[in-house]
Amino acid sequence: IFLRFFKNMKTKLFIIFIVLMTNGALLAQRIKVDSLYYDITSSTTVSVTFGGREYSSYKEVTIPSSIVYGDSTYRVTSIHSSAFAQCYSLSQVTIPNTIISIGSNAFEQCVSLRAIVIPNSVESIGIFAFNACSSLETIVISNNIQTI
């Protein structure tokens, strides 16, 4: 009886594991729309994510408030950790008012970035989000920031 229970338990755990992994994989899907990469974070939202060397030559970036991928429209609600890290040429970023959070190290070492306006929608800015942005002179933020 114990072996039968153990065998059934292993099967159940395996099925649960597969379901969880499949669901997580669907939500963590990485997509590219226009010139930016996104992680799908829910059925209606995405996060701008790391683009590697492809981002390194960008001088200006305008993050859209929403994107269309396939038959779905997604709101852009966050900038993922290290999304634009080491984009040495990046001098201008436009952030839409749909962004709620800016991840840790999001703009780290963007040495050409001189000014940035954080929209009122942003509630949290991760640690070292603007670390080593040596040319950054102006950051405009609102009173809505709850966590820095």
Side-chain angles (χ1 to χ4, degrees):
I1 293 175
F2 177 74
L3 290 177
R4 181 183 293 163
F5 173 79
F6 185 70
K7 185 175 183 180
N8 288 337
M9 182 58 90
K10 281 175 59 176
T11 302
K12 289 175 186 174
L13 288 173
F14 179 73
I15 291 170
I16 291 169
F17 174 77
I18 294 299
V19 168
L20 290 174
M21 292 304 292
T22 302
N23 188 31
L26 291 175
L27 289 179
Q29 182 181 359
R30 185 174 180 175
I31 60 174
K32 183 179 181 185
V33 175
D34 297 325
S35 60
L36 297 176
Y37 288 94
Y38 303 88
D39 284 337
I40 297 175
T41 53
S42 80
S43 61
T44 59
T45 62
V46 293
S47 176
V48 179
T49 194
F50 184 67
R53 290 184 182 190
E54 202 165 322
Y55 288 0
S56 65
S57 63
Y58 292 177
K59 293 181 180 177
E60 296 180 7
V61 169
T62 298
I63 298 170
S65 59
S66 64
I67 60 166
V68 175
Y69 183 75
D71 295 332
S72 300
T73 299
Y74 298 93
R75 274 182 23 150
V76 182
T77 59
S78 63
I79 301 171
H80 198 272
S81 298
S82 302
F84 296 98
Q86 299 177 354
C87 291
Y88 303 119
S89 300
L90 189 62
S91 62
Q92 182 176 343
V93 177
T94 304
I95 300 174
N97 64 4
T98 56
I99 298 294
I100 297 168
S101 66
I102 298 174
S104 302
N105 308 90
F107 296 96
E108 182 175 29
Q109 294 182 10
C110 291
V111 295
S112 297
L113 192 60
R114 293 186 178 273
I116 192 158
V117 176
I118 309 294
N120 292 337
S121 58
V122 175
E123 298 173 357
S124 68
I125 299 175
I127 191 168
F128 301 123
F130 299 98
N131 186 44
C133 293
S134 55
S135 297
L136 190 59
E137 297 173 352
T138 307
I139 299 178
V140 178
I141 62 173
S142 75
N143 291 334
N144 292 337
I145 301 290
Q146 298 171 11
T147 308
I148 296 181

